[in-house]
Amino acid sequence: AIVPDLPDKIEMRTECGLSKKQAALYERAVKDLAERLDSAEGMARRGLVLSTLMQLKQICNHPDQYLASAAYLPEQSGKFERLAHICEPIAERQEKALVFTQFQTLTQPLADYLAVVFGRPGLVLHGGTPVGKRANLVRTFQDEAGPPFFVVSLKAGGSGLNLTAASHVIHFDRWWNPAVENQATDRAFRIGQKRNVLVHKFV
């Protein structure tokens, strides 16, 4: 009946700029939406707005996610550059990080980039990861000498995972429902956590 004291959880809004390529794509998508809204009505209009919002989220993540390209040059994304800025000191202190994204297609590009930042590979978990493999991934990450980061798709990592080896949580993109994000954060901030948890929410 008595819950042991948890360390502190500090949440912060982390602002990210747009690269020139991102800004150009964003402006073009907004103009395209404005033109198409003139002739759209009812449900078609709503669907158009929602699909454009999803496109804008992808552009803000990385232009190559929106363009379905495989290059993912970090300098073309303000978020990728901010991610490195946050993770470099985490790597120096030999601490661990969880990185959440709602997009399964983004998990591997993020993991590839973070492997460069941390100087060693990490782990990836998404909806396509076999159920039998998940427990082994968690065990590997929880090992003190295990990988330094874990990239997780938000829906796959929203519940049931104990990842208290991480003292940093990064929400690379934002979900519409804050409760889903909070569930993901609680993979690290839960009973068994002995360090303060720093939560970065990219905007």
Side-chain angles (χ1 to χ4, degrees):
I2 299 172
V3 178
D5 287 338
L6 283 170
D8 289 335
K9 176 175 68 173
I10 302 158
E11 297 191 0
M12 58 181 65
R13 173 188 167 106
T14 303
E15 305 233 351
C16 308
L18 295 175
S19 68
K20 286 183 179 179
K21 187 171 183 178
Q22 283 176 303
L25 288 169
Y26 196 102
E27 185 177 19
R28 193 169 78 194
V30 170
K31 283 182 178 175
D32 182 54
L33 173 64
E35 289 169 5
R36 293 168 69 190
L37 280 178
D38 286 339
S39 58
E41 294 179 359
M43 289 302 293
R45 186 181 176 91
R46 291 179 186 177
L48 187 57
V49 170
L50 286 173
S51 66
T52 302
L53 283 172
M54 188 60 73
Q55 290 169 6
L56 294 176
K57 289 181 81 167
Q58 292 175 341
I59 291 168
C60 287
N61 280 347
H62 197 293
D64 287 347
Q65 185 186 4
Y66 171 69
L67 297 170
S69 170
Y72 281 93
L73 298 174
E75 62 271 17
Q76 291 185 350
S77 166
K79 281 189 176 183
F80 268 61
E81 293 194 324
R82 176 66 72 177
L83 186 63
H85 183 73
I86 288 171
C87 288
E88 282 164 1
I90 295 173
E92 286 173 12
R93 293 193 298 269
Q94 296 186 323
E95 296 171 350
K96 297 193 180 195
L98 297 179
V99 180
F100 288 101
T101 173
Q102 75 175 92
F103 299 100
Q104 181 173 324
T105 55
L106 195 60
T107 54
Q108 196 58 54
L110 282 171
D112 292 342
Y113 179 53
L114 286 168
V116 176
V117 175
F118 279 90
R120 51 191 288 225
L123 300 171
V124 174
L125 172 67
H126 51 65
T129 306
V131 174
K133 190 180 176 185
R134 295 184 183 205
N136 188 47
L137 288 173
V138 170
R139 222 172 12 251
T140 303
F141 183 72
Q142 287 291 95
D143 190 313
E144 194 174 328
F149 66 87
F150 204 158
V151 180
V152 185
S153 69
L154 198 59
K155 284 300 183 73
S159 61
L161 300 177
N162 182 356
L163 300 170
T164 51
S167 54
H168 299 267
V169 176
I170 299 165
H171 290 283
F172 191 80
D173 44 58
R174 310 298 304 280
W175 189 249
W176 310 115
N177 182 355
V180 176
E181 286 187 352
N182 292 340
Q183 279 186 330
T185 297
D186 289 345
R187 299 313 95 221
F189 190 71
R190 58 190 298 165
I191 292 171
Q193 179 58 265
K194 295 179 172 55
R195 293 176 290 275
N196 292 338
V197 176
L198 208 53
V199 184
H200 302 269
K201 296 183 174 182
F202 280 15
V203 179

